[in-house]
Amino acid sequence: MSFLNSVVLLFAAAGAYGTALMFGTIGEILTEKSGNLNLGVEGIMYMGGIFGLIAPNMYEMAVGDSASPFVAIILAILASFAVGAIAGALFSFITVTLRANQNVTGLAMTTFGTGVAKFAGELRRMQVGGYVTLSNKMKFAFDKHFMPDFLKKIPVIGKILFDQSEFFYLAIIAAVLLHLFLTKTKTGLYLRSVGESPVTADAAGINITKYKYLATMIGGGISAIGGMVYTMTTAGCVWIEASLAGTGWLAVALVIFCTWRPINGTWSSVLFGALMIMYLRIIIKGFPIELYKILPYVVTIVVLVITSMKNIKDKQPPASLGLNYFREDR
Amino acid sequence: MQTNCAIELKNIRKTFGSVVANDEINLQINKGEILCLLGENGSGKTTLMNMLSGIYQPDSGEIYKEGSLVSIRSPRDAYALGIGMIHQHYHLVDVFTAAQNIILGMDDQKLDLSAVNDKVKEICDRYGFHVDPKKKVYDMSVSQKQTIEIVKVLYRGAEILILDEPTAVLTPQETDKLFAVLRNMKKDNKAIVLITHKLAEVLAVSDKVAILRKGKYIGIVETKDATAQSLTDMMVGRAVKLNINRPVYDNPHDKLVVNGLTVVDNEGVSRLDNVSFTAKAGEILGVAGIAGSGQRELLESITGLYPIKSGSIKFVNEDGSTNELVGKTPMQIRQAGVGMGFVPEDRLGMGLVGSMGMTSNMMLRSWRNGRSIFFNKKSPEALANKVWKNLEVVTPSTDFPVRRMSGGNIQKVLVGREIASRPPVLLTAYAVRGLDINTSYAIYNLLTDQKMSGSAVMYVGEELDVLLELCDRILVLCGGKVSGIVDARKTTKEEIGLLMTTVGGHEGGEQ
Amino acid sequence: MSEAGKTPLIRLVKRVKGDMISPRKIWAIRIGSILFAFILGMIPILMAGSNPFQSYGIIISGALSKPGYIRQTVKRAVPLLGAALAIAPCFKMRFWNIGAEGQITMGAIFASAIAIWFQDSIPALPLLTLMMLAGIAGGALWAFIPGFFKAKYNTNETLFTLMMNYIAIGIVRWLQGGPWEGRPGTQIIPMFKDNARLPNVFGIYCGWIIVLILVVVVHIYMNFTKHGYEVAVIGDSINTARYAGMNVGWVMMRTMLFSGAICGCVGWMLVSGANGTLNADVAGGVGFTAITVAWLSQLNSFAMIIIAGILAIIGKGSTTLQTKLNVPASVADIVSGILLFCMLGCEFFINYRMVFRGKKEGKV
Amino acid sequence: MKKLTVVLLIALLALSAVFAQGGSETASKSKATKIGFVVINDESDQGYTWNFVNGMEAAVKQLRAEGYSIDLLYKKNTTESAICKDNNIELAEEGCEIIFNNSYGFEPYMLEAAKEYPNTKFVGMTNCGSQVDGNPNTYNAFAAIYEARYVAGIAAGMKLQQEINEGKIKASEAVMGYVGAFSFAEVISGMSGFYLGAKSVCPSVTMKVYFVGTWGDATLEEAAANALIDAGCKLISQHSDTTSPALAAQKAGIFHVGYNTDMTKVAPNASLLSSRIDWTRYFYTFIKNHIDGKENKSDWTGTYAEGDVKVTDLNTAIAAPGTQEAMDKAIKAFHDGTLKVFDLSTFTIEGKKGTNETMYDSFAAVQGNATYDGFFHESELQSAPYFVGKIDGIEWLNAAY
């Protein structure tokens, strides 16, 4: 196997895990653009992971064999999005309305979210009396690589770009849409202004509270879809909580790594996915394989340090990230 | 003229905690007119205008727009009413372009930046600005940023423009340009409010002047009937005989020699320009000037807190030798044996720790004493008790957070601490701001005691009456330059008032 | 502008001097929020088909009713309390160190290194001392790095410390499967010998004594030392600190060193006491939970004992709940999460006052 | 103020304690034998713990049917840390007479608890240290899963041979991929058994192995399976706990042999069958012996002949014809005792015949000679496997772990 070939195959394989990361990252970018640093992504992705499984599972159990995979996918997306949005609303309520510290609230959200997810998983398992999963028909639908074969066979890019599940493309579409939203629409511009300088946005008559709530809710929803994608594709429609652990934190790291840009978020998610499994593909003699897995975090720190050292204005976190705003406080 | 009224404020009152910022203010703003809102710092000008722009809500009182009662709950409401305010601290998003900033918060419009550019160009042409819509704010100069702010307000069709000290950061040329623009707007029948305290500007550009003093409305005059003198009188109030005891120290000698001091802030704006003077032991050197003329920077430079671009500050020791302070940190200055007390303007943000009690605040000067890793609480405790008793500080205990004390008591704590060590140099900024008469006198006496014990005291003040009666000499700053050093016993309030507000003509240097 | 002339329905005013709520009310609000949290926490218990009162009873009895249970509860509380103590000075300084997890882990690694290299050659007392010092050094080092970059380049410390956690844990994974692995392929570092293990006192490893000492030490450090004073001043206002001649950057780094040192000490106790060996789970999330403990205790060392105690009781008790009523033990996380949310949210009602339309705003 | 908190907390405590009394009453009304079970993860893993819990539930059901009164207490989602010791202690405190632990990493913590509770029996499943630790109250149990893997390997080999015969692949392309958790005896012994089973019916078969360094991480297992598929493997098997390798195989259109649980439902077009340990008999016997006052073996090895290891039903829709017969032949030989997996004549190590030195795990708790009579006697000196020979035909793609 040539080196190039192994790299191509590595990135093609990284697409699967990268998809879950992509949703997590894109959602958190949207949240952070509003100035809310929601460190609860881990908890939110957990909840998305289980509720994205429970919804189609209940649907299938209710309808039986006639259940439509399409409806199941929509239900999974809706359920995970909804639970993420609720978590986002809760986060916003506590930090925006009640003005509690964002870091602490985010961490509490992680505790709470992972708790709810594990709890829901166990409860559902007890209800169905066995493990919670879907029929095979459904499983295939969730992890369908629907691109035609001739595309997959294009050298180098074919396997990376076209041999992926439908959620991969959905995530890329979401990233592009978010990019367009942030750069080309008025609402996106306003949202960024809320995250950069709430004083300015407020003075310009922008409803800070509304923007923060909506961005955090939609962002939470998108992140939660990432959890669902993980459960429904990589884990094969089975709830394996332990394997989801750390994905949300990786998404937080990715947001920094891609300097708050959704388009960068797509390829860097795949890159991070690749770093996580690189030890299986590209073996550097003498380099301990466990250390491969910390590369994403090391790289992230390097990016963080470099951008702060050079003080590159365009690559800084949103200026008010993590700070709460109270109009009369100024 | 009644039909010309754009906005009317009736009985507006606003308090912050126990501080009354605006007390039953009535004001009328007309179309096609430039109204100057004149008053010293802290007179409530900005607070009043912030209620028009929706930042604050009045505690009581009414606002009428063209005769009908309105409520301005947010900046959005203000825009809807055609009110636009250009704040002293710009409300711009650094990472956005000019155009992006301009359209921020606009309703019912697609994000069509080329249309925005066209409209911006049209506005610029009409009033005589120049703006590059694609430039990012972080690449802009201060005056460019201000232009964006003004265009932003015009863009959303403001009929009433409020500018909060717009010239503070501008060069004279830029100021002239701005005034030309304002006159164009006036012709366009817009109502313009200019918050300022620079008399020359007031006289040059305004039609009417409304004067506030200490939160109260003093009156309104037609500019054509006003002179710098009459406005100064209204702004600072008539001379009051205060009867401050002013003994003479028998042996004043040089203590602090400042030469050619120049500092620049982090925006690149010059804050002190070639400032030279000497402070003498046994003398109170008053520093007069409109707020923001460089007082803060001057004191902070001397104490080692502000980065100095050029110049020298020499401390004269008892034996006549000198110590150069430029280039030293506050700690190095102290370690060099230079005793300096400093009562900064921002009491809680700089001089005291709001969340701590008196004792801990006394420690801010002595915390490093001794070799133990523990701080010594005994002497600060004793000092706190002394200050508590001697200065009659009202507080439940010496551990009661100073933030929760009243302003006067906070200041007593601060001054009490700074004079406790009898420093050879004592710097004070607005030492009696917000204090009642009795407390003020107590502070004056303390400063005079310091002087008589041989300290060189610098007193940055805003009330000219006090400066005239308390100080021996008065240094007047104007726009970061020394516009004069006068003998307090011989000068008049009017002379100082003019020096404070003089632009152009005879600025800078010793007189 | 249809409501022209009216003021908004509810308006918020930050409480300032003269307008502070009474201490009695403050505590009523805080306790009320805790009770409210426990009421909300009944929802998942009911969903699991159990009686919430009985469940809470089991949680508490499962945590406290037998000496053995109390020991386990204490064992859970010890690292939580230790880490909260470590975080407190940073938070006091408004330095958002969320890297306790990594600092504990790094301390654990350093302490383990000493144990693994020297347990055959050095007797217990000097060995344990060396391990402690190594642990302290490890934690301090790990905390110093983000502290340095914050002081020097103003690098965002929240994100930096967060990343450092995962790097530390990754290093343990490597050691576990690599240089320090016992039987190849097991990913297990062999249990330390007895001379590298902390002795038990009342059936629990003596970490609880150390952590109680730390409570006092941190309390003294924060309230009676020059360092603590500097930290408090910087947390209140950096300008004031500069005015007083403090070297803000250095104090930041030094405080991180101190914080990391305590975390490292906790890491040492975990490997030498609770676990007896090193594994990637050594911190097990306490670094994160401790942040909420520290924050909710308002950085008061003694209050941390109570908060850490409550969380440990919920955590321990719910494992009993699972065994007895088959309520998933993850209910502990949910109840803890709700509790944290409620306690975080309730501070709002202490710091702000709502002014309703129509009510005349006057002196309160 | 603060006093108020304390008072309230005490009140809450007291109130709860009253309710708690009610709770424990119901638990203590029958004098049942309490059995504790400390497990890693929970049944949701659909594999490892699921298999254990099923075995335990079946055994308890059987015992109850025979009139034994048993209370089964679980400690789920236990981590391999001090929590494990705590959970063991708590179950002991609760009065459990036997406590089972189902993960290898639990053993050191279990042994510590065992010292403190000498009257409680502690069983470390898949472990090896108990029989040599000198504690009379600790036990080990494991099963000769390599025998079941050998049988499963026959199914795999048959399938590959069929593809060779049909001309779909060349003989040299008969490569199997194996996703292993860690590179230690339990995995090495199992995968070697699997390979030898396949080789017995498909002489040209070779195998590539990836060790993922985790027991239950779906992401990494899938990644490893994909890496193997990309490396040209035509069939995937695994010694890890999730079903994601089966899914990967199904996606790639190749075949799969599973572990722990029947994966044909997960991947019907790929999964031929799975090998698994059936713990029912062990749990049943151990508990019954205990209640009846009989001694239990301190080290127990389940075998194919006794039905403790088995393969799940063959997926006949995709299996090669004749597979069942070939497997039955091997199973019968296990029953007869005529078939030995590690028959020295069937494999070489670095081109040479295996010796005790090249095959015996020098880290095993019990050391001794297992190489005589022409074969390697796996699981006889201790229940936990100790075969670590790197036999020819198996390529380790990453050596460490």
Side-chain angles (χ1 to χ4, degrees), chain A residues 38-98:
Chain A
N38 185 354
L39 291 179
V41 197
E42 175 87 353
I44 287 176
M45 289 186 80
Y46 255 76
M47 291 195 284
I50 184 65
F51 287 101
L53 171 62
I54 289 179
N57 169 261
M58 290 176 96
Y59 164 71
E60 200 179 21
M61 288 181 83
V63 179
D65 282 345
S66 60
S68 138
F70 179 73
V71 175
I73 291 176
I74 297 295
L75 275 176
I77 293 175
L78 287 181
S80 54
F81 183 87
V83 68
I86 292 169
L90 183 60
F91 180 85
S92 300
F93 178 70
I94 294 172
T95 60
V96 178
T97 305
L98 299 184

Side-chain angles (χ1 to χ4, degrees), chain B residues 100-242:
Chain B
Q100 287 174 330
N101 266 293
I102 286 167
I103 56 157
L104 211 56
M106 298 282 289
D107 284 327
D108 330 313
Q109 204 184 346
K110 269 194 168 167
L111 187 72
D112 178 358
L113 283 176
S114 69
V116 174
N117 295 349
D118 291 346
K119 198 171 164 194
V120 168
K121 194 167 181 311
E122 186 207 311
I123 292 172
C124 290
D125 290 347
R126 173 141 41 126
Y127 299 111
F129 296 111
H130 177 74
V131 165
D132 174 5
K134 291 198 181 103
K135 201 166 179 180
K136 295 237 168 141
V137 170
Y138 58 73
D139 285 331
M140 289 183 183
S141 73
V142 188
S143 90
Q144 281 173 318
K145 287 182 190 171
Q146 187 179 59
T147 309
I148 304 300
E149 283 280 22
I150 298 172
V151 172
K152 191 163 108 183
V153 170
L154 291 171
Y155 189 92
R156 50 204 80 200
E159 292 299 314
I160 301 147
L161 280 92
I162 304 165
L163 295 97
D164 190 358
E165 306 207 12
T167 60
V169 289
L170 300 184
T171 63
Q173 292 80 0
E174 287 168 340
T175 306
D176 289 344
K177 245 192 227 164
L178 173 68
F179 287 169
V181 168
L182 293 182
R183 289 193 193 97
N184 287 338
M185 290 181 190
K186 184 172 95 175
K187 274 184 216 141
D188 211 28
N189 207 31
K190 301 213 183 284
I192 295 158
V193 181
L194 204 61
I195 301 177
T196 184
H197 43 226
K198 294 187 181 168
L199 292 179
E201 292 174 359
V202 173
L203 295 168
V205 77
S206 70
D207 298 301
K208 282 184 184 161
V209 189
I211 293 128
L212 297 186
R213 194 198 310 147
K214 291 181 184 165
K216 289 200 168 67
Y217 176 71
I218 301 301
I220 191 161
V221 292
E222 299 268 337
T223 310
K224 58 181 181 338
D225 303 333
T227 63
Q229 192 58 61
S230 67
L231 291 177
T232 310
D233 289 349
M234 288 178 84
M235 182 166 82
V236 298
R238 67 189 167 81
V240 187
K241 199 76 189 132
L242 296 166

Side-chain angles (χ1 to χ4, degrees), chain A residues 199-278:
Chain A
V199 185
T200 304
D202 194 22
I206 292 168
N207 187 338
I208 309 264
T209 308
K210 189 173 96 186
Y211 272 86
K212 283 199 169 221
Y213 261 87
L214 280 177
T216 311
M217 286 173 69
I218 297 171
I222 296 174
S223 294
I225 292 177
M228 181 276 285
V229 169
Y230 182 84
T231 312
M232 305 311 276
T233 63
T234 308
C237 302
V238 181
W239 175 234
I240 312 171
E241 48 163 271
S243 7
L244 191 51
T247 309
W249 292 116
L250 213 50
V252 173
L254 264 165
V255 175
I256 309 163
F257 180 79
C258 69
T259 58
W260 290 267
R261 287 166 190 197
I263 299 289
N264 288 357
T266 56
W267 61 260
S268 46
S269 294
V270 177
L271 175 69
F272 271 41
L275 287 174
M276 296 304 274
I277 59 170
M278 194 164 93

Side-chain angles (χ1 to χ4, degrees), chain D residues 280-310:
Chain D
T280 316
R281 187 178 74 99
Y282 178 65
F283 288 134
Y284 172 83
T285 317
F286 194 99
I287 298 169
K288 192 177 155 76
N289 280 347
H290 168 77
I291 297 173
D292 296 348
K294 290 187 201 150
E295 270 301 305
N296 272 304
K297 275 201 233 167
S298 75
D299 188 65
W300 177 90
T301 309
T303 62
Y304 215 112
E306 298 278 6
D308 300 312
V309 299
K310 47 181 71 164

Side-chain angles (χ1 to χ4, degrees), chain B residues 142-411:
Chain B
V142 188
S143 90
Q144 281 173 318
K145 287 182 190 171
Q146 187 179 59
T147 309
I148 304 300
E149 283 280 22
I150 298 172
V151 172
K152 191 163 108 183
V153 170
L154 291 171
Y155 189 92
R156 50 204 80 200
E159 292 299 314
I160 301 147
L161 280 92
I162 304 165
L163 295 97
D164 190 358
E165 306 207 12
T167 60
V169 289
L170 300 184
T171 63
Q173 292 80 0
E174 287 168 340
T175 306
D176 289 344
K177 245 192 227 164
L178 173 68
F179 287 169
V181 168
L182 293 182
R183 289 193 193 97
N184 287 338
M185 290 181 190
K186 184 172 95 175
K187 274 184 216 141
D188 211 28
N189 207 31
K190 301 213 183 284
I192 295 158
V193 181
L194 204 61
I195 301 177
T196 184
H197 43 226
K198 294 187 181 168
L199 292 179
E201 292 174 359
V202 173
L203 295 168
V205 77
S206 70
D207 298 301
K208 282 184 184 161
V209 189
I211 293 128
L212 297 186
R213 194 198 310 147
K214 291 181 184 165
K216 289 200 168 67
Y217 176 71
I218 301 301
I220 191 161
V221 292
E222 299 268 337
T223 310
K224 58 181 181 338
D225 303 333
T227 63
Q229 192 58 61
S230 67
L231 291 177
T232 310
D233 289 349
M234 288 178 84
M235 182 166 82
V236 298
R238 67 189 167 81
V240 187
K241 199 76 189 132
L242 296 166
N243 286 323
I244 300 174
N245 181 27
R246 179 163 53 184
V248 178
Y249 185 68
D250 35 0
N251 178 27
H253 55 272
D254 289 2
K255 199 77 216 171
L256 202 61
V257 184
V258 176
N259 226 320
L261 185 64
T262 301
V263 306
V264 177
D265 70 11
N266 52 15
E267 301 239 318
V269 179
S270 173
R271 287 293 172 188
L272 287 178
D273 189 358
N274 195 24
V275 169
S276 304
F277 67 92
T278 302
K280 291 178 179 162
E283 186 185 74
I284 297 182
L285 175 65
V287 179
I290 293 303
S293 305
Q295 296 95 320
R296 183 170 74 86
E297 290 79 4
L298 178 61
L299 299 194
E300 290 189 11
S301 306
I302 295 172
T303 48
L305 291 167
Y306 207 95
I308 292 162
K309 195 178 164 200
S310 63
S312 94
I313 302 167
K314 285 200 163 63
F315 175 83
V316 184
N317 295 318
E318 285 304 309
D319 58 7
S321 62
T322 61
N323 256 330
E324 176 61 55
L325 304 188
V326 173
K328 289 199 169 78
T329 65
M331 204 31 86
Q332 286 167 337
I333 290 176
R334 187 165 321 164
Q335 279 158 355
V338 177
M340 221 184 269
F342 178 28
V343 178
E345 174 182 356
D346 186 0
R347 292 164 201 167
L348 288 180
M350 187 163 200
L352 295 171
V353 186
S355 55
M356 296 181 181
M358 272 179 79
T359 306
S360 300
N361 270 296
M362 292 301 144
M363 217 152 64
L364 212 53
R365 279 296 182 205
S366 62
W367 56 280
R368 205 185 282 242
N369 293 353
R371 293 183 163 210
S372 157
I373 60 158
F374 298 103
F375 51 71
N376 173 358
K377 208 167 180 173
K378 276 207 182 113
S379 61
E381 177 93 64
L383 178 59
N385 280 313
K386 206 173 108 190
V387 171
W388 190 11
K389 207 173 109 223
N390 292 355
L391 303 190
E392 293 165 342
V393 178
V394 180
T395 176
S397 77
T398 51
D399 291 326
F400 188 74
V402 294
R403 175 169 286 136
R404 292 170 65 180
M405 296 181 187
S406 73
N409 287 307
I410 291 173
Q411 186 69 335

